[in-house]
Amino acid sequence: MIAFGLRRGGALVAVVVLAPALTYVVLGAVYGSIYGHVTVWHQVVHVPHYLVRVFGHLDLGYDDVRRQPVGDTLRNGLPVDAALTLGGLAVGTAAGILLGVLCGPRPRSRRDSSMLMASTIALSVPVYVLAAVLVYEFSPGIGAHPVGFLSGPGTYRPLTHDPLAWLHSLWLPWLLVGAPLAAVTLRMTRSVLHEGMTAEWARTAIAKGLPEKLVLRRHALRAGMPTVLETVTVSVPAVIANAILVESVMQLPGMFIRFDVSRQVAYSFHNPAFPLIQGLVLEGAVLVAVCVFLCEILRGWLDPRVRAGALVSELV
């Protein structure tokens, strides 16, 4: 298990390094095509120097818009973005698995149909629309019908200052970020449970007297969990994209809203403000790498075949 974690960790560290390097080259090529001062070859040659500056000296450049180092903005915003992304990932995964188990092994039942309809709605409604409706309808101080236990825009409190206020300000964003993931996870959990319960080994266990619920939760769920976690792993970029949208609506002081992503991207293509976009790419790469690493480690712990498959692929 330790060797599997080290192999997965090494691969994800490579992603964290290569993503900013590729962005450095691509943005330089775009800027050079517009102004003619920078060539692709110039950017490629200076990639090692850029990586040493970023990862060796933690120097991400200077933010000309806010007149401060990009590293300061990253240090202030990354904890908020990490808490929002990891919390939404955990909430969406746990809720999807729980609801998928509640659907039971029998498809097309009333409960199963209700769950499928709810998951379809969660996938159809954009998170920023749902967030705006909840904020401007039920948020205290803003909404037409305020509900006290909901959190509203601008209510974020750091974890180190007040843990309870931190939880109060993030539980609704976590639900919003995790809702689409929960819908996908529910459908995948339902599918693997139905496949497991119709397998020959499950029917034999039930015929010998094991309770159906025991076979479902202890055996079919465990056998299908690596597949469910693989779906969660593939969904990590979508979770981060939803976190950006929710962060904007809820006015959380993260890196994305500090950058004002859409305006800063447009600004960077007309001005040499590359450190802004490079810092954003670096944070996105770190968040994706951490989330994928956690999912992979959990998959490897649940299913030894995942660890063995990774080892065989490397040996081949």
Side-chain angles (χ1 to χ4, degrees):
M1 188 65 199
I2 295 177
F4 173 76
L6 291 176
R7 290 194 298 270
R8 281 291 185 261
L12 295 175
V13 167
V15 171
V16 173
V17 174
L18 291 176
L22 181 61
T23 306
Y24 179 78
V25 174
V26 171
L27 287 180
V30 172
Y31 181 68
S33 64
I34 296 175
Y35 297 97
H37 301 305
V38 180
T39 63
V40 177
W41 176 247
H42 176 272
Q43 293 294 100
V44 172
V45 170
H46 285 80
V47 163
H49 173 73
Y50 168 73
L51 294 178
V52 170
R53 177 167 60 85
V54 170
F55 295 101
H57 303 285
L58 301 179
D59 180 11
L60 299 175
Y62 193 76
D63 184 355
D64 293 328
V65 177
R66 292 174 175 79
R67 304 296 180 182
Q68 66 178 1
V70 175
D72 292 345
T73 307
L74 185 62
R75 281 188 292 271
N76 293 330
L78 181 58
V80 181
D81 295 330
L84 179 60
T85 303
L86 292 174
L89 189 70
V91 169
T93 303
I97 293 174
L98 177 61
L99 295 175
V101 172
L102 289 178
C103 286
R106 298 183 180 87
R108 293 180 297 276
S109 63
R110 180 176 299 180
R111 178 186 297 177
D112 182 71
S113 301
S114 300
M115 294 293 183
L116 289 179
M117 183 178 298
S119 67
T120 302
I121 294 174
L123 289 172
S124 302
V125 180
V127 292
Y128 61 88
V129 174
L130 183 59
V133 169
L134 291 177
V135 166
Y136 293 107
E137 185 67 24
F138 303 107
S139 178
I142 298 178
H145 304 88
V147 179
F149 61 85
L150 291 182
S151 56
T155 61
Y156 178 80
R157 296 294 182 271
L159 176 63
T160 54
H161 292 179
D162 190 344
L164 291 179
W166 177 78
L167 284 174
H168 179 264
S169 61
L170 280 179
W171 76 267
L172 180 59
W174 283 342
L175 291 179
L176 292 170
V177 172
L181 176 63
V184 175
T185 307
L186 182 154
R187 288 176 172 268
M188 182 55 67
T189 303
R190 172 183 175 274
S191 177
V192 297
L193 287 180
H194 176 64
E195 181 179 355
M197 294 301 291
T198 56
E200 183 177 351
W201 62 266
R203 295 199 304 268
T204 302
I206 295 173
K208 288 185 176 182
L210 283 180
E212 187 179 71
K213 291 183 178 180
L214 180 64
V215 176
L216 172 71
R217 297 173 182 175
R218 182 172 296 180
H219 301 286
L221 181 60
R222 183 178 179 86
M225 192 56 61
T227 304
V228 175
L229 290 177
E230 186 174 2
T231 303
V232 174
T233 304
V234 175
S235 303
V236 167
V239 172
I240 295 178
N242 289 332
I244 297 175
L245 299 175
V246 172
E247 184 178 288
S248 300
V249 176
M250 302 298 294
Q251 295 296 302
L252 298 174
M255 182 79 164
F256 300 117
I257 195 172
R258 288 173 185 269
F259 270 164
D260 192 4
V261 177
S262 60
R263 294 182 182 180
Q264 295 302 340
V265 170
Y267 177 83
S268 295
F269 281 130
H270 295 283
N271 300 273
F274 293 160
L276 294 172
I277 305 301
Q278 290 164 351
L280 193 62
V281 169
L282 179 60
E283 178 182 348
V286 170
L287 290 177
V288 170
V290 170
C291 294
V292 170
F293 177 75
L294 294 175
C295 293
E296 288 291 323
I297 291 299
L298 190 55
R299 284 184 63 219
W301 177 68
L302 290 173
D303 190 352
R305 294 173 299 178
V306 175
R307 304 195 298 269
L311 180 60
V312 170
S313 64
E314 291 186 3
L315 292 176
V316 173

